Amino acid sequence: MVSLRGLCFLLTLFLGSFFGSVFMLGPVLPLMLLSPAWYRWVTDRIVATWLTLPVVRRSASWDTMLQYFCHIKEPLQLLLFPEGTDLTENTRARSDEFAEKNGLPKYEYVLHPRTTGFTFIVDTLRKGDNLDAVHDITVAYPQNIPQTERHLLLGLFPREIHFHVRRFSAACLPSSAEQLQRWCQERWREKEQRLCAFYRSEPRRFDQPEARVPPCKSQLRVALIKAASLLYWSAFITLCCAGLWLWTPLRLYFLLMVIFFLCQQRVTGGVELMELACHRRWSGAQVKQD
């Protein structure tokens, strides 16, 4: 049966992202025409407020976006899943087939990474002087593992999530693409061993000592941030619904913004591509002035 808690969770995420795009990101779109870099700075911080909600872009031109971030010198935190997909019986079978063709070991707890994309991203960021470090994060679930949105809809939330984090500075990464590919594959071999030990231990936990939480990120501060986020987005969604019901000008704005987002997606391919076009326009103008 559908869980009320799961339904509320998914509905809150959807309405928060939908109304946030219209009523929070929409008003700052003109800033893109004046300064794409400032637009990116503002929107990153708006989106950051929403990203705290799930704990209570995918772009077709990601390579161009990487070069764009390097050019405007915007600090970038890029979350990358080199496996490319979830671990299921079908994906594990494809991973095993890939391993047989390439003389690699078969894995039980992880899928073989797609190293070409990883090496390209590292190389692009390094050339743009925008790479400080790579953090290798292994995620483990001691109890139930939610695989799809259906599990969340049924209310099957994970009770615990364990993270194993290792930081590799940019200076210690291999320089050539071939060496970087092998480096990535080695990290995945370690992940397989680490997860194997995790799920065979009792109680289930990583064998390294737990990290100390800095005072600025105490459990109380985290709880307050989560509570504030939940209250803010719940109130925001409620006010949006009430405003659309009671105020005609807001309904008109809402309709125009939805039409705009749909049209720009069909014409340009996405807001991020409009941002890139504005950046090229301003960069070209600066070159002509110089």
Side-chain angles (χ1 to χ4, degrees):
M1 297 179 62
V2 173
S3 166
L4 180 60
R5 185 176 64 159
L7 181 62
C8 290
F9 174 77
L10 293 178
L11 193 60
T12 302
L13 288 186
F14 170 74
L15 291 178
S17 61
F18 183 59
F19 286 146
S21 298
V22 174
F23 295 113
M24 296 179 69
L25 293 180
V28 302
L29 284 174
L31 185 59
M32 185 191 303
L33 302 175
L34 301 176
S35 173
W38 272 105
Y39 166 79
R40 172 54 52 182
W41 188 90
V42 172
T43 55
D44 278 355
R45 279 140 189 86
I46 292 176
V47 173
T49 65
W50 181 82
L51 290 177
T52 60
L53 182 62
V55 300
V56 202
R57 140 182 345 163
R58 182 163 92 165
S59 174
S61 57
W62 53 270
D63 54 337
T64 308
M65 291 299 295
L66 284 177
Q67 298 173 6
Y68 166 59
F69 283 122
C70 292
H71 189 270
I72 65 174
K73 301 301 181 182
E74 175 70 13
L76 173 67
Q77 293 182 349
L78 179 63
L79 181 62
L80 176 66
F81 295 89
E83 310 98 316
T85 187
D86 294 335
L87 176 61
T88 64
E89 292 300 325
N90 291 333
T91 57
R92 182 187 286 115
R94 293 200 297 267
S95 180
D96 290 344
E97 182 180 355
F98 173 83
E100 290 181 356
K101 291 181 179 179
N102 294 272
L104 298 172
K106 295 181 181 180
Y107 292 150
E108 179 181 359
Y109 297 98
V110 296
L111 303 176
H112 280 278
R114 302 176 180 181
T115 57
T116 302
F118 171 77
T119 55
F120 176 83
I121 290 174
V122 170
D123 186 58
T124 301
L125 293 177
R126 190 154 46 186
K127 289 179 179 178
D129 194 25
N130 206 28
L131 180 65
D132 176 61
V134 172
H135 290 80
D136 174 26
I137 304 176
T138 305
V139 185
Y141 302 85
Q143 293 143 4
N144 57 312
I145 303 177
Q147 291 282 1
T148 66
E149 289 77 5
R150 178 177 174 271
H151 291 85
L152 299 179
L153 189 60
L154 295 176
L156 301 177
F157 298 96
R159 296 183 179 180
E160 293 182 18
I161 306 177
H162 291 218
F163 296 90
H164 182 280
V165 184
R166 292 185 65 192
R167 183 183 187 275
F168 298 88
S169 66
C172 74
L173 296 177
S175 56
S176 70
E178 183 178 353
Q179 292 175 333
L180 197 56
Q181 288 180 347
R182 289 199 296 266
W183 182 89
C184 182
Q185 291 171 343
E186 179 64 19
R187 301 288 76 75
W188 254 251
R189 185 188 65 80
E190 292 177 352
K191 286 180 184 291
E192 174 70 14
Q193 296 176 349
R194 188 177 300 126
L195 288 172
C196 180
F198 179 91
Y199 286 108
R200 294 179 181 178
S201 63
E202 189 61 41
R204 289 177 171 176
R205 60 188 304 170
F206 293 118
D207 56 0
Q208 277 81 2
E210 296 183 0
R212 296 181 179 177
V213 180
C216 63
K217 295 183 179 180
S218 64
Q219 293 294 334
L220 177 60
R221 180 176 181 270
V222 172
L224 290 175
I225 291 176
K226 291 196 296 185
S229 176
L230 184 60
L231 290 174
Y232 170 81
W233 284 102
S234 299
F236 174 74
I237 293 171
T238 303
L239 290 175
C240 288
C241 292
L244 289 173
W245 179 264
L246 299 173
W247 199 25
T248 300
L250 194 66
R251 291 199 296 268
L252 180 59
Y253 166 81
F254 176 80
L255 180 61
L256 292 176
M257 287 304 304
V258 170
I259 293 175
F260 167 78
F261 279 120
L262 292 175
C263 291
Q264 63 82 26
Q265 180 68 35
R266 180 175 292 274
V267 175
T268 67
V271 175
E272 71 278 4
L273 297 184
M274 292 177 56
E275 182 182 351
L276 282 173
C278 292
H279 172 68
R280 294 192 186 100
R281 178 170 173 260
W282 279 104
S283 298
Q286 291 178 354
V287 171
K288 290 181 180 179
Q289 292 177 358
D290 295 339

